[in-house]
Structures are given as C-alpha cells and as structure tokens.
Amino acid sequence: MKHVNQIRKIVEQGRLDEAHQAIEDLLELGPKNLEALKLKAALFEHVGRFDDEETLWRRIIEIDNEDEDAIRYFQKAQLEDREHYYFTDPLPGGGRRFLAYPRTLVSVSFIGLVGCVSFLLLTRMNGQMIVQSPILLLGAFALMVVSPWLAIIYLYVRTIRSINVTSAAIEVSTRFKTFRYAWPDIQQICLAHSGEPEAGELKLVIVPREKNAPPMSIDFAEATSAVRARRHLIQEIRDYFQDIRYENFDSILVEGRSMRRF
C-alpha cells in the first residue's frame, strides 16, 4: 500500500495508470482520505475528465465544507459559468457559438505596445551611442517595433476566432478561414494529455475519417487555451458525438497526416 506522497512521485514520473490504481487501493481503506481524493481530482483534470473531477470535489466538500481547495475549485467553476454566459451565444439554426479569447495575441500586443513606447523614449535620449548610430537605431527599431508587430499580425491571422457546434458539424474559425467537420465524417474526438502532469498540456483533437484530411489539435489547457467555458464546450460536443476519448497525445494515430495546430 502506497502513501499519497509516494503516489505523487509516481505521477511525476508519468505513470498515470499505476497512480490511479494506487489511489483506488488507498481509498478502499479510507474513503474519506482528502489528500487522496484531491490527487485523484487533479489527475482527472489533467486528462480532461471534467465531470469526474467535479464529482470528486463535490465529495470532498461534503466531507469538509470548509476545505480551501474545494472552495477554490467551485469559485473557478462559477467563473467558467460566467464565461459560458459572456463568451457563447446560441446560433439561429440551433447549436452554440463559443467565442475565443486570444490570450497569446493579447500578451504579444502588450509587448508590442511596450516596445513602441520604449523605442520612442530611446530616440529622445541625447548623447546615447545607439541614437547616434543609424545601424544600431535601425536594429533597435526592428527588435522593439517590427518584430512584435509581425508576431501580432501572424497571431491575428492564425488564432481561433470561434468554435460553432451544431447538429450537423463542428466548425473552427480563424479570422479568414473556417474548418468544418461534419459529425459522420469524424473518426475520433479526444482530449489528449501529455505524459507528465506537471507540463499541464491538454489538447482537443479531431481526427476525420478521410485519410487525406488533416486532423486538428486545439490547445485546451486551462492556463493557455483561447477557448473559454471549456467544460461547456465538451458538454455541447457530447450531445452530438458521445464517444469522446481520453488519450496520451503520443498515442493518437494520425497515420502520418500533418496536423492543424491552434
């Protein structure tokens, strides 16, 4: 029988199946072991099993209604419910549109703003060698102004603008293009996690049946994803495609096809 700290070390090594079994063995002896329940909830979050994660946190709050971790979880869940209200809207023909919040674009835009201000301040500094040298000044302009704005333009074109889920298909739209996957044409939808939980990587992967059609991978990690109301999006997808799988990203077979990554 392993203790919670030993199981955490197993998790850090990426042996998730072994960790799940060890937690189950521990909970058989102590069903109210809060640390074991929290570790199990964290593993469910890592692989995208949000419903199972919520069930565990409800169990924890029933055992201790003042548990700080459980309170934080439900505060976060309330925030996601608000995201569902502000970042989604019903479509006229049925279904729902999920609007994206481009975190990376916002961050790079801020860097671009700081770069522009810094360059303006730099050009007003009399007596500095960089101001007196056209080559150094041009290099500073390229680094502080041009580079961030090229990144902004690239991200503006590439990042997801919205995801539409209807009875006919799931549609992923950027600023200039829409990728449509009809439900009958989809072979697999899965939430793909990294082998190491500390990496915090989670992706929503859509694999079409057609061999020449490229699969799509969408960043679904809480800290970096542009998708808001992630749990609600999964529930919406499950209404039309119930067999959502939970896989290690490296185990997904795409048969050499290039993958669209967002």
Side-chain angles (χ1 to χ4, degrees):
M1 182 67 63
K2 294 181 175 62
H3 296 293
V4 172
N5 288 337
Q6 292 175 309
I7 298 173
R8 286 198 179 98
K9 291 180 180 179
I10 294 174
V11 171
E12 290 172 1
Q13 295 169 3
R15 293 147 55 192
L16 302 186
D17 291 338
E18 184 180 344
H20 273 291
Q21 186 58 54
I23 293 172
E24 290 299 331
D25 294 340
L26 196 56
L27 289 173
E28 282 185 10
L29 291 180
K32 293 185 178 182
N33 186 325
L34 292 182
E35 292 304 313
L37 290 170
K38 290 178 185 180
L39 182 55
K40 187 175 181 180
L43 290 178
F44 280 151
E45 180 187 19
H46 171 65
V47 300
R49 292 173 59 176
F50 301 130
D51 292 342
D52 294 328
E53 178 196 7
E54 181 180 353
T55 299
L56 281 175
W57 282 113
R58 292 192 181 281
R59 184 174 167 187
I60 291 168
I61 205 74
E62 287 174 0
I63 297 171
D64 181 2
N65 59 11
E66 295 183 356
D67 186 273
E68 293 183 359
D69 293 327
I71 291 171
R72 276 194 293 270
Y73 170 81
F74 286 107
Q75 287 174 339
K76 186 174 67 174
Q78 289 177 351
L79 176 61
E80 192 157 19
D81 290 340
R82 287 197 291 271
E83 289 177 346
H84 183 251
Y85 178 79
Y86 288 111
F87 285 91
T88 76
D89 50 62
L91 295 170
R96 201 159 195 89
R97 174 184 293 114
F98 289 75
L99 301 175
Y101 174 72
R103 296 173 185 240
T104 307
L105 179 59
V106 172
S107 300
V108 174
S109 298
F110 178 75
I111 294 172
L113 176 62
V114 172
C116 289
V117 173
S118 300
F119 181 76
L120 288 174
L121 293 175
L122 183 65
T123 58
R124 294 184 178 275
M125 295 173 63
N126 295 325
Q128 295 294 325
M129 181 178 67
I130 192 171
V131 178
Q132 298 172 358
S133 170
I135 295 177
L136 291 178
L137 193 62
L138 184 61
F141 178 76
L143 179 64
M144 295 180 173
V145 180
V146 176
S147 296
W149 281 98
L150 287 176
I152 290 170
I153 294 170
Y154 173 78
L155 290 171
Y156 181 82
V157 173
R158 284 281 302 163
T159 53
I160 294 175
R161 184 178 184 182
S162 66
I163 300 175
N164 293 354
V165 181
T166 69
S167 60
I170 179 170
E171 298 175 346
V172 180
S173 299
T174 62
R175 300 290 173 179
F176 301 107
K177 193 170 184 179
T178 296
F179 304 94
R180 186 177 188 274
Y181 296 88
W183 300 118
D185 298 334
I186 296 176
Q187 175 183 331
Q188 181 182 10
I189 295 179
C190 70
L191 283 165
H193 58 271
S194 59
E196 300 178 358
E198 289 194 0
E201 293 182 2
L202 185 65
K203 302 177 187 297
L204 178 65
V205 179
I206 303 172
V207 181
R209 294 184 186 279
E210 185 181 345
K211 300 301 182 183
N212 295 326
M216 177 177 289
S217 168
I218 300 171
D219 182 8
F220 221 64
E222 181 183 8
T224 57
S225 177
V227 179
R228 303 292 81 205
R230 298 175 306 152
R231 289 170 169 81
H232 295 278
L233 174 58
I234 294 300
Q235 291 171 0
E236 197 80 27
I237 293 173
R238 193 174 277 119
D239 287 341
Y240 308 107
F241 196 95
Q242 296 183 0
D243 186 23
I244 297 178
R245 301 182 185 179
Y246 305 93
E247 305 278 355
N248 186 308
F249 190 77
D250 294 333
S251 69
I252 298 175
L253 301 176
V254 294
E255 299 172 353
R257 290 177 281 179
S258 59
M259 185 175 289
R260 298 188 179 109
R261 301 177 187 272
F262 294 99

